[in-house]
Amino acid sequence: MRAISGKTDDELDQMQARQPENYAQLKTTAELFPAMQDSELGEVPEGWGVGTLGDLCDINMGQSPPGTTYNEIGDGLPFYQGITDFGFRFPSRRVYCTAPTRFAEEGDVLLSVRAPVGSLNVADERCAIGRGVAALRLKEKQHG
């Protein structure tokens, strides 16, 4: 559990005593990765490797078209600019764009790349993406 959580034994003991629900959830997650192996980054689950996001995904950085092409009446494609548009799992349609320049396709992961960085959503349809968002599309699965 230390490798999965990044916590010390003492921190895990404190978590178990003070946050039993979180500890139980962490334990369940750790049990999914019973064997660990050394890597250049430290211990990782067996079978995992070290690489970059670009090794796994095609990354499409958003770009904002002219503001005069935005509207809220549904003309054009849904246009997502950042976490203001992000929902629990899927973005909410708020703004549309009639002259989009960058796109995400249904199923692409939408990643916030401007503060706050790292929030995720999934595109549930073809949409336009602004400069606060990148679209990640899984490359063909590599076997090996």
Side-chain angles (χ1 to χ4, degrees), residues 2-4 35-46 48:
R2 283 191 327 262
I4 295 292
M36 302 298 286
Q37 66 186 22
D38 287 329
S39 80
E40 61 192 74
L41 298 177
E43 284 190 327
V44 297
E46 191 171 286
W48 286 25

Side-chain angles (χ1 to χ4, degrees), residues 58-138:
D58 290 319
I59 302 170
N60 182 16
M61 299 299 291
Q63 183 179 34
S64 296
T68 57
T69 66
Y70 303 174
N71 69 85
E72 295 180 359
I73 60 172
D75 192 14
L77 284 178
F79 178 54
Y80 304 123
Q81 303 179 70
I83 65 164
T84 299
D85 304 314
F86 283 13
F88 173 72
R89 182 170 293 138
F90 303 105
S92 300
R93 291 186 198 127
R94 184 178 59 87
V95 176
Y96 295 79
C97 181
T98 57
T101 53
R102 299 284 171 91
F103 305 91
E105 301 297 333
E106 181 178 357
D108 286 356
V109 173
L110 303 176
L111 171 66
S112 170
V113 295
R114 297 184 82 187
V117 173
S119 295
L120 300 170
N121 256 203
V122 177
D124 56 355
E125 62 187 325
R126 187 167 202 257
C127 56
I129 54 173
R131 64 183 179 178
V133 176
L136 311 177
R137 184 170 305 136
L138 188 63

